[in-house]
Amino acid sequence: QVQLVESGGGLVQAGGSLRLSCVASGRTLSTYTMGWFRQAPGKEREFVARINWNGGSTYYADSVKGRFTISRDTAKNTVYLQMNSLKPEDTAVYYCAQGKGIVTIKYDYWGQGTQVTVSS
């Protein structure tokens, strides 16, 4: 089993920054992908960013490209989401997830989520 624990959420003014962290424990694999998702009230969960654990390649949703940066610290089994130039529409619960796949990634493990609120 894999456990994912997010932290770093909070209240921030528009234009500000936050860094989210996700610590993985348990039976983690070096071949997996780590992703960040978010869900706003009344909306479906949406993809934000992902990173390949081995190679470090990244991919971002268009809505956050240029503002958010996903990274990982292999020694700490931790993935980060640096969020800059935050907008009120970024307000959501942010979830960390671990998945595997070649063409389509299936996310099997999820964290509990951390609230990010951006005031206008």
Side-chain angles (χ1 to χ4, degrees), residues 17-82:
S17 299
L18 284 173
R19 189 176 77 159
L20 307 183
S21 299
C22 174
V23 180
S25 62
R27 201 172 75 90
T28 58
L29 300 174
S30 62
T31 56
Y32 58 63
T33 294
M34 298 296 298
W36 284 99
F37 295 77
R38 66 187 183 186
Q39 187 168 25
K43 297 184 178 180
E44 294 185 352
R45 185 179 300 171
E46 66 174 339
F47 167 80
V48 175
R50 69 171 185 259
I51 185 168
N52 178 271
W53 196 255
N54 272 345
S57 60
T58 59
Y59 184 80
Y60 299 90
D62 288 341
S63 59
V64 306
K65 195 173 299 181
R67 299 188 298 119
F68 292 8
T69 303
I70 188 171
S71 61
R72 85 259 198 264
D73 186 332
T74 57
K76 297 181 178 180
N77 279 348
T78 302
V79 61
Y80 304 96
L81 185 67
Q82 179 66 48

Side-chain angles (χ1 to χ4, degrees), residues 10-18 85-88 117-120:
L11 175 64
V12 65
Q13 292 181 320
S17 299
L18 284 173
S85 301
L86 283 163
K87 305 174 181 179
T117 303
V118 184
S119 64
S120 59

